[in-house]
Amino acid sequence: MAKSELRKWSEILVLIGAIIALVEGILMIFGFQFGFWSIYGYLGSFLGALIDIVFGIIVIIFALITLATSGVIKFPLAFEKNWIMLLILSIILMIFGANWGGFIVLIGAILLLVNDLK
């Protein structure tokens, strides 16, 4: 694969992953979670719902930061676009419950790393 083609694929994956993470954060606020695992579902209904709301807000903020870092939207917390920053953002997204979106952003960060190594 050419260097610019790999970069395009990584940008597309980061964009799709950030959008999916944004949707996952909104769904977490309303009590839905479609992830690999749900650690906080065992804490009881009130505490589990409160944690889902807080984590949903955190996921939405980090998804917006990921979108701003990739250059799609204007957001005051945008970082420099490189593979290590996208890797950190994907790990943060996965820690707070946006598993599918964070995983896709992780794949995009790895492709960006491979592109930089070529």
Side-chain angles (χ1 to χ4, degrees), residues 11-58:
E11 290 173 359
I12 289 171
L13 285 173
V14 168
L15 174 66
I16 291 172
I19 291 171
I20 290 173
L22 186 64
V23 170
E24 283 179 327
I26 293 169
L27 289 175
M28 282 175 66
I29 289 175
F30 292 112
F32 300 103
Q33 189 167 4
F34 303 106
F36 299 139
W37 59 84
S38 177
I39 299 171
Y40 304 102
Y42 303 108
L43 295 176
S45 60
F46 177 73
L47 189 57
L50 184 65
I51 288 174
D52 279 345
I53 290 171
V54 171
F55 279 15
I57 292 170
I58 292 171

Side-chain angles (χ1 to χ4, degrees), residues 17 20-21 24-25 28 33-39 59 90-106:
I20 290 173
E24 283 179 327
M28 282 175 66
Q33 189 167 4
F34 303 106
F36 299 139
W37 59 84
S38 177
I39 299 171
V59 164
S90 70
I91 291 170
I92 290 171
L93 285 172
M94 286 190 283
I95 286 173
F96 285 106
N99 298 315
W100 294 106
F103 183 70
I104 295 172
V105 172
L106 176 71

